[in-house]
Amino acid sequence: MATIRAKILGIEDYFPEKVVTNKDLEKIVDTNDEWIVSRTGIHERRRSEAHETPSFMGVEASKKLFKKLSIDPLSIDLVMVATITSDHIFPAAACLVQRDLGLKNAFGFDLGAACSGYLYGLETARAFIESGRAKNVLLIAAEKMSAILDFQDRTTCVLFGDGGSASLVTAGDERSYIIDSLLRTDGSGALCLYMPAGGSKSPPTHETIDRRDHYVKQDGKTVYKRAVTDMADICSEILAKNKLTGSDIALFVPHQANIRIIDAASERMGLPKEKVAINIDRFGNTTAATIPTALIDCERKGQVKRGDLVLLASFGAGFTWGATLLRY
Ligand code: UT7
C-alpha cells in the first residue's frame, strides 16, 4: 500500500497595520528601546483594531491563500485554529472561520498549545492526511495578544504582538513532505506562564479584575532557562534521530520569543545567521503565529525554496515544546 505523506502546500499571513514601536511603549510603561532591543531583539510589533480578532485574521490570511493556490473552500475537510486568544471561550474560532469562509464540508476545532500551537497543529494535520481521513486541512495560527496583555506590566507587555496566518496541509510528494516531528508537554511549568482568571477555575469577578488576573503573567527567568535548554535539546534529538546534522539544514525556523533563545539554539547546531528565520524584530512574539509567519517571510525573501530541508522548533506556555523536520 502506498504511504501517504503530508506537506505544507502554502502559507499566507495577516498582520494588523498599526505599528507599536518601543518608543511608543516608553510613553506607557517604565521601559526603553535599548533594554527591549538588547534583551529580546524586538523593535516593534503590531496591534489589532477591535475587529481584528484571531478568526478575522485567519479568514483574511485564508482568503489570500485560497486565491494564491486556486483552492475551492468546499474542498477543505478540516479547519483548526491554533490560538490562546480565541474570539470567545466558546464557540471555537474554527466555527467562525468555517462560517465566514463558507467551508461547508469542513469540521473544525481550536487548539490551545500556546507558542507550540503551530507545531501541534501541523502534527495533527499530518495525522489526518497520512491516515487518509482528510485531504485538505486548513491550519490557522492567529493571536490577539494585546487583548490579554497588562499594559502596566513592563515585564510582559513589551514582548508580544498580534498577527495571524493560514497554512494548507495536503498530501505530500517526494520533493515536499513532513519527515518527522517530536512534541513534548511538561505541566510542572503550567503556572510559569499563564492567565490566572477567566477560565472556570476563576471566573470573572470584580476581585479578579482588581487583581489584574485576566492578563498574562510570566516568570520570565524560569521560562527563559527552560526554553534555551529544551528547544536546543529537541532540535539535536530530531536531527540525530534522522541521522542529520545542523549543516544539512537549509533553514531553521524557531519560535520567536527572544533573539537570545534563538541564537543559543542556532549556535548549538552551528547554523550561520542566514539560515535562521527572524521576524521577532518587526512583530514581537505572536505566540502560535510566529513560526508560519516567519517561514512565509523567508520564502518571500528567497531565503528558502521548495524542497529545502527545514527545521521548525518551539517552546512556550504549558510547558509545550517541539521540533518538526520537513522538506518544504
Ligand atoms: O513565547 C513564550 C515563551 N516565553 C519566553 O520564551 C520568554 C522567556 N523569557 C525571556 O525572554 C526573558 O526572561 C525576558 C525578556 C522576559 C526578560 O529578560 P531577562 O534578561 O531575563 O530580564 P530580567 O527578568 O532578569 O530583568 C532584568 C531587569 C530587572 O530589573 P532589576 O530587578 O535587575 O532591577 C527587571 O525589572 O530588567 C528589568 N526589566 C525591564 N527594564 C526595562 C524587566 N522588563 C523591563 C522592561 N524595560 N520592559
Side-chain angles (χ1 to χ4, degrees):
M1 197 177 73
T3 311
I4 307 173
R5 287 169 158 170
K7 74 171 174 187
I8 302 171
L9 186 65
I11 306 174
E12 275 297 336
D13 58 5
Y14 177 91
F15 284 103
E17 274 182 22
K18 188 177 168 51
V19 175
V20 176
T21 63
N22 294 344
K23 289 270 175 219
D24 293 330
L25 290 172
E26 284 180 12
K27 295 174 202 147
I28 311 174
V29 281
D30 179 17
T31 189
N32 58 79
D33 179 60
E34 196 279 326
W35 190 96
I36 301 173
V37 172
S38 63
R39 300 285 181 131
T40 72
I42 300 167
H43 291 261
E44 59 186 46
R45 73 289 290 142
R46 298 297 174 94
R47 174 87 52 81
S48 302
E49 300 293 346
H51 67 284
E52 292 175 308
T53 60
S55 75
F56 178 90
M57 292 190 265
V59 165
E60 292 305 307
S62 300
K63 284 182 190 163
K64 281 204 280 177
L65 185 64
F66 290 172
K67 197 168 171 208
K68 181 169 83 174
L69 300 174
S70 301
I71 290 289
D72 178 356
L74 296 180
S75 69
I76 304 296
D77 29 33
L78 166 58
V79 54
M80 280 181 280
V81 181
T83 187
I84 54 160
T85 51
S86 199
D87 301 39
H88 307 280
I89 285 193
F90 77 91
C95 301
L96 309 182
V97 171
Q98 185 277 339
R99 177 194 67 192
D100 294 345
L101 288 172
L103 308 179
K104 293 210 167 68
N105 297 314
F107 74 102
F109 56 89
D110 287 3
L111 198 155
C115 305
S116 300
Y118 189 70
L119 297 195
Y120 277 48
L122 205 51
E123 184 67 342
T124 308
R126 178 183 170 214
F128 272 93
I129 299 289
E130 288 185 350
S131 64
R133 298 293 292 270
K135 286 197 161 48
N136 293 304
V137 180
L138 181 63
L139 172 59
I140 287 167
E143 302 281 7
K144 184 169 180 156
M145 294 302 294
S146 59
I148 59 166
L149 288 178
D150 184 350
F151 286 95
Q152 292 181 14
D153 176 9
R154 67 175 184 175
T155 69
T156 50
C157 75
V158 304
L159 304 174
F160 297 91
D162 299 339
S165 66
S167 305
L168 191 66
V169 185
T170 62
D173 49 59
E174 275 180 16
R175 188 160 163 260
S176 176
Y177 62 99
I178 297 168
I179 299 167
D180 198 5
S181 186
L182 298 174
L183 301 178
R184 301 275 185 268
T185 299
D186 176 5
S188 71
L191 302 189
C192 292
L193 176 50
Y194 80 124
M195 198 167 88
S200 59
K201 185 172 181 186
S202 182
T205 60
H206 288 292
E207 289 72 30
T208 62
I209 291 170
D210 290 345
R211 284 199 302 267
R212 311 187 74 75
D213 277 355
H214 295 272
Y215 295 123
V216 172
K217 311 279 179 200
Q218 174 171 243
D219 170 0
K221 272 195 189 318
T222 304
V223 179
Y224 183 89
K225 282 185 204 146
R226 284 290 301 261
V228 165
T229 312
D230 290 333
M231 202 161 82
D233 281 355
I234 204 152
C235 289
S236 303
E237 191 180 337
I238 202 166
L239 288 178
K241 185 174 167 224
N242 289 277
K243 302 186 171 39
L244 296 165
T245 66
S247 60
D248 297 307
I249 300 297
L251 183 72
F252 176 44
V253 190
H255 171 54
Q256 312 277 309
N258 188 319
I259 195 74
R260 294 180 289 145
I261 299 171
I262 295 171
D263 287 346
S266 311
E267 278 162 25
R268 171 100 82 91
M269 288 185 282
L271 291 174
K273 291 220 177 311
E274 59 273 17
K275 286 189 171 189
V276 183
I278 302 290
N279 73 358
I280 189 173
D281 51 340
R282 289 156 287 152
F283 300 112
N285 182 349
T286 54
T287 306
T290 65
I291 293 175
T293 57
L295 178 51
I296 187 60
D297 185 41
C298 287
E299 187 185 330
R300 289 187 192 129
K301 289 192 296 200
Q303 216 177 330
V304 68
K305 58 182 189 324
R306 285 280 155 183
D308 279 353
L309 195 60
V310 173
L311 177 62
L312 317 177
S314 69
F315 185 90
F319 298 126
T320 58
W321 69 107
T324 299
L325 191 62
L326 50 97
R327 288 249 165 238
Y328 185 49

